[in-house]
Structure formats: structure tokens, C-alpha cells
Amino acid sequence: MSVPLHQLPAFDSDNGLANVVVDSPRGSRNKYKFDPKTGIWRLSKLLPAGACFPFDFGFIPSTKGDDGDPIDVMVLSPEPSFAGCVLPCLLIGILDAEQTENGTTDRNDRLIAVVKTKYNPPEFENIDAVPESQLHEIEHFFKSYNEAQGRQFKVLGRRGPQDAANAVKAASR
């Protein structure tokens, strides 16, 4: 029996890794969104010319963030996957952030993860090990991405893997 993507467990019970459903692959200008009512992927928007997702971007199934959507995750992967692909990920940290639109500010944190398989050990196990220049690029992407949509995105801080895992557990439904 198949399980709809949005109903997969947040964590794989066999290996303890987070299930991350990719909605927008690395290098793509297309922002896709999964429609749980129909079970299909819809094009949500195109990023401006010259902009693309720096890494695979997706969500943790069976979670609900403060914005009402599943928790967002940026997966530091060396190669792009595809929309709908489920990646086994080690959560390495979280970017605490707030997003402002039309005068209303909401928390909209971003988890940071890396792929981990039996044959592919992660390059990083903690956000503190990621080069500062790479973290600045990721933060700049989120700021630019939101700015292009008339929103402001402000990074408030960074926290490690345990805080990321706790955020997923707190948002699990």
C-alpha cells in the first residue's frame, strides 16, 4: 500500500534520518509545490532570470510550521535530484528567521540538512562545520528569493542539529 508523500513520517523508523521531499531541485528556477488534495506537483512560480535554487529545497512530511505549511528544508547536496524525490537526510542545523509581508511578521525558519546513505557519508554533521561563505550565500538566496516576492526575510541566528530535530518533533502532526 502506498503512502501519499505528505503523509510519510518525518523520520525514517529504520535509520532515524529525516525524510525530505524535494519540491524544487538544485539549479532550477522553478518553484514547485505539492498539492496534497490531488497528489500532484504544481508550478508555484518562476524565480527571476539569473536566480536559481542553490541546493535541493523541500519539506519534511507530516509536519506543520508556523506558516501552516510543512517545515522547509535546504539540502546541501552536490547534485540535483527531482521534484517528489524523498531524500534520507541528516539534519545539521536550522536558520532562525522571520518573514515580513504586508506589515505582518511571522517566524519562517529553514532547516539545513545533508544527504546520508550507506554509501554516501555526509560531508558535514553540524551547521558549524559548513564554511561561513556558503552559509552567507544560502542566507542571501533566501533574502533575495523573498525580496523578489515583495517580502523581507531576516535571519535571526543559527542553531545546531539537536535544535533542528527538536523543531521537527514539535511540528509533527
Side-chain angles (χ1 to χ4, degrees), residues 8 24 27 32 44-45 59 64 74 81 85 102-103 105 108 111 114 119 141 146 148 155 164 169:
L8 286 173
S24 300
Y32 299 104
S44 172
K45 64 184 89 123
F59 64 90
K64 188 174 183 179
M74 177 78 62
S81 60
C85 184
N102 298 325
T105 301
N108 201 352
L111 296 179
V114 292
Y119 305 102
F141 167 77
N146 280 279
V155 176
K169 289 173 187 166

Side-chain angles (χ1 to χ4, degrees), residues 8-20 60-61 86-92 113-122 124-125 165 168-169:
L8 286 173
F11 293 99
D12 185 297
S13 61
D14 292 334
N15 59 27
L17 296 173
N19 286 315
V20 175
I60 303 266
V86 179
L87 302 176
C89 288
L90 177 67
L91 299 173
I92 65 166
V114 292
V115 171
K116 182 178 181 180
T117 74
K118 179 179 176 181
Y119 305 102
N120 307 98
F124 311 111
E125 294 193 6
V168 172
K169 289 173 187 166

Side-chain angles (χ1 to χ4, degrees), residues 93-112:
I94 186 168
L95 296 178
D96 292 324
E98 54 186 28
Q99 187 173 292
T100 304
E101 183 174 20
N102 298 325
T104 302
T105 301
D106 295 307
R107 281 298 290 262
N108 201 352
D109 299 341
R110 300 288 193 258
L111 296 179
I112 305 295

Side-chain angles (χ1 to χ4, degrees), residues 51-67:
C52 66
F53 283 89
F55 295 101
D56 285 343
F57 185 73
F59 64 90
I60 303 266
S62 298
T63 63
K64 188 174 183 179
D66 291 342
D67 62 357

Side-chain angles (χ1 to χ4, degrees), residues 71-88:
I71 294 180
D72 297 320
V73 185
M74 177 78 62
V75 181
L76 308 185
S77 54
E79 296 294 326
S81 60
F82 56 90
C85 184
V86 179
L87 302 176

